[in-house]
Amino acid sequence: MSKRVFFIGGSPCSGKSTIAKYLSKEYQAYYYKVDDFLEKFIIIAAKNGGRACQNYLMMSPDEIWMREPLTQCEEEFLIYDEIAPYVLDYLNQIEADFIITEGTAYTPKVIKNII
């Protein structure tokens, strides 16, 4: 990544959006909330062969939310792995010198692969 990007990851309702909004305002950074675009990236990854994303798109809302919690968690992490390249590509397309981005998609594994 050739620009300055500050990534904030974490669990739902952990304060990611609150701190990201504050920091982006304080430092005049572009704010990007990846969770608002998950469906878009899941569709892109599915079209490009992402099996977890393809499976997700074929499930009904009940099938998605009524899975065993461990299965749901494991599949979510697979989805985040599959969408990561498309999220990063999108961040590179944003015309801003400094970006603060946050979302559950920024798992430790995804961030480790960026560095």
Side-chain angles (χ1 to χ4, degrees):
M1 196 146 295
S2 60
K3 55 183 88 187
R4 293 183 313 155
V5 180
F6 187 81
F7 294 90
I8 302 172
S11 300
C13 302
S14 62
K16 299 178 305 295
S17 298
T18 301
I19 194 68
K21 288 176 191 175
Y22 171 80
L23 290 173
S24 63
K25 184 176 180 182
E26 182 72 20
Y27 296 98
Q28 293 85 45
Y30 184 95
Y31 169 55
Y32 183 73
K33 182 177 181 176
V34 72
D35 292 357
D36 287 348
F37 300 92
L38 280 178
E39 192 76 18
K40 168 188 169 182
F41 291 118
I42 289 170
I43 291 168
I44 292 168
K47 287 181 182 177
N48 287 295
R51 302 288 276 156
C53 290
Q54 290 171 351
N55 291 339
Y56 175 86
L57 291 174
M58 295 176 72
M59 288 189 273
S60 71
D62 282 344
E63 290 171 320
I64 291 169
W65 296 110
M66 299 307 289
R67 295 173 289 170
E68 290 294 321
L70 182 58
T71 300
Q72 184 175 349
C73 182
E74 290 169 347
E75 290 174 357
E76 289 291 315
F77 278 100
L78 292 173
I79 288 168
Y80 297 147
D81 290 345
E82 290 179 1
I83 69 168
Y86 308 105
V87 173
L88 298 175
D89 183 57
Y90 182 81
L91 290 173
N92 274 324
Q93 294 176 35
I94 295 172
E95 293 189 24
D97 294 328
F98 183 31
I99 300 169
I100 295 177
T101 180
E102 57 91 0
T104 55
Y106 297 129
T107 64
K109 181 179 175 184
V110 167
I111 295 301
K112 182 180 178 185
N113 289 331
I114 294 171
I115 314 176

